[in-house]
């Protein structure tokens, strides 16, 4: 990745000068995970801020009967583990790379030393946390107000961007995708068929989705 590109994905660093970003870059660790890799497991120490530079990560818990329960997806630009920056915790969930995934991480001790060196980062952290709470409220509203078509179209285009290809196999099973989008597997199948009739996608053998017109797909309502 280009210099500072990973660090600048995190809002708390966006207002810093180049020399400050250079300092932060020295404490960033870089990780590449192939599709299917376990990134973290339940009971692992939660001691690092994780920046998803590119890819897609499924975060889930295991029920008592061993079945997976999808909690959320991390997409390119998302961060995870903010709590790790301030207190000792352990993870309660699992993270799996659904596609080839590139992650940057910053350990708690390094980050806390950084805040002592640059107090402005502490203020940025508080501001960003406040904005994230607002975003969560908006996401809850959008799930209730946006159509399934819109949510599915966004997911398809984001996945294509993460994989850098317009033809891909859905990384998520339809039941998990339905959970993520707040609908049913049957509805997912119907909406994919609708997109195909509209010429926006083509469903190929092997469960491959070919996006024919990403711009028009994003205009779906």
């Amino acid at each position: 990745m280009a210099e500072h590109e990973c660090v600048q994905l995190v809002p708390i660093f966006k207002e810093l000068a180049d020399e400050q970003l250079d300092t932060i870059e020295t404490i960033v660790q870089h990780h590449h995970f192939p599709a299917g890799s376990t990134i973290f497991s339940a009971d692992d120490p939660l001691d690092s801020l994780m920046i998803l530079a590119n890819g897609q990560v499924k975060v889930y818990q295991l029920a008592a009967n061993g079945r997976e329960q999808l909690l959320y997806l991390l997409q390119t630009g998302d961060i995870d583990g903010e709590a790790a920056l301030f207190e000792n915790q352990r993870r309660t969930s699992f993270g799996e790379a659904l596609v080839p995934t590139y992650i940057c991480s910053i350990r708690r001790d390094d980050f806390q030393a950084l805040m002592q060196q640059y107090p402005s980062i502490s203020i940025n952290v508080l501001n960003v946390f406040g904005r994230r709470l607002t975003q969560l409220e908006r996401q809850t509203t959008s799930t209730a107000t946006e159509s399934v078509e819109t949510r599915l179209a966004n997911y398809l285009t984001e996945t294509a961007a993460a994989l850098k290809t317009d033809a891909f196999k859905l990384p998520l099973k339809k039941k998990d995708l339905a959970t993520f989008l707040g609908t049913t597997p049957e509805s997912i199948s119907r909406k994919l068929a609708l997109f195909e009739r509209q010429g926006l996608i083509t469903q190929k053998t092997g469960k491959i989705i070919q996006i024919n017109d990403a711009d028009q797909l994003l205009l779906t309502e």
Side-chain angles (χ1 to χ4, degrees):
M1 299 186 73
E3 186 179 11
H4 299 158
E5 185 176 345
C6 187
V7 170
Q8 287 181 327
L9 286 171
V10 184
I12 57 180
F13 300 138
K14 283 187 176 178
E15 306 302 322
L16 300 182
D18 283 345
E19 60 270 20
Q20 295 172 323
L21 292 175
D22 287 337
T23 301
I24 294 171
E25 189 61 43
T26 65
I27 66 173
V28 171
Q29 299 176 343
H30 302 266
H31 316 271
H32 293 266
F33 296 93
S37 299
T38 297
I39 296 174
F40 55 82
S41 299
D43 207 40
D44 282 353
L46 179 56
D47 58 4
S48 297
L49 173 71
M50 191 173 78
I51 308 162
L52 191 62
N54 187 262
Q56 194 174 96
V57 174
K58 173 178 69 174
V59 180
Y60 65 94
Q61 290 180 330
L62 290 178
N65 61 5
R67 296 185 63 178
E68 290 184 9
Q69 179 182 4
L70 179 69
L71 299 178
Y72 53 90
L73 289 186
L74 296 172
Q75 307 269 39
T76 298
D78 287 341
I79 61 176
D80 188 63
E82 302 97 311
L85 300 178
F86 302 102
E87 59 182 338
N88 292 314
Q89 292 189 16
R90 304 194 79 83
R91 289 195 175 273
T92 59
S93 56
F94 297 81
E96 177 187 330
L98 294 175
V99 301
T101 296
Y102 172 41
I103 287 173
C104 305
S105 63
I106 301 176
R107 293 182 59 83
R108 177 194 305 110
D109 292 346
D110 293 332
F111 187 80
Q112 290 181 345
L114 195 68
M115 288 196 295
Q116 292 179 352
Q117 186 175 359
Y118 301 114
S120 61
I121 293 179
S122 302
I123 298 173
N124 284 353
V125 169
L126 292 176
N127 289 337
V128 167
F129 282 2
R131 287 198 295 270
R132 284 191 61 137
L133 287 174
T134 302
Q135 289 171 357
L136 286 173
E137 292 175 355
R138 289 175 180 167
Q139 287 173 6
T140 301
T141 301
S142 69
T143 299
T145 58
E146 285 184 350
S147 68
V148 174
E149 287 95 334
T150 298
R151 283 175 270 152
L152 178 58
N154 288 336
Y155 173 78
L156 293 176
T157 52
E158 286 174 357
T159 299
L163 291 170
K164 297 181 173 64
T165 178
D166 288 332
F168 54 89
K169 183 176 181 179
L170 284 175
L172 279 175
K173 297 177 182 177
K174 279 189 180 177
K175 65 178 181 63
D176 288 334
L177 181 55
T179 298
F180 174 59
L181 297 179
T183 186
T184 64
E186 294 77 18
S187 181
I188 295 293
S189 296
R190 288 196 298 271
K191 302 309 179 186
L192 289 174
L194 173 64
F195 290 163
E196 188 164 32
R197 289 196 300 273
Q198 294 172 333
L200 302 176
I201 68 169
T202 301
Q203 299 188 77
K204 300 183 176 182
T205 56
K207 300 181 180 178
I208 301 296
I209 303 290
Q210 168 76 50
I211 296 181
N212 300 325
D213 190 338
D215 291 338
Q216 194 62 38
L217 189 60
L218 285 173
L219 294 175
T220 301
E221 295 181 355

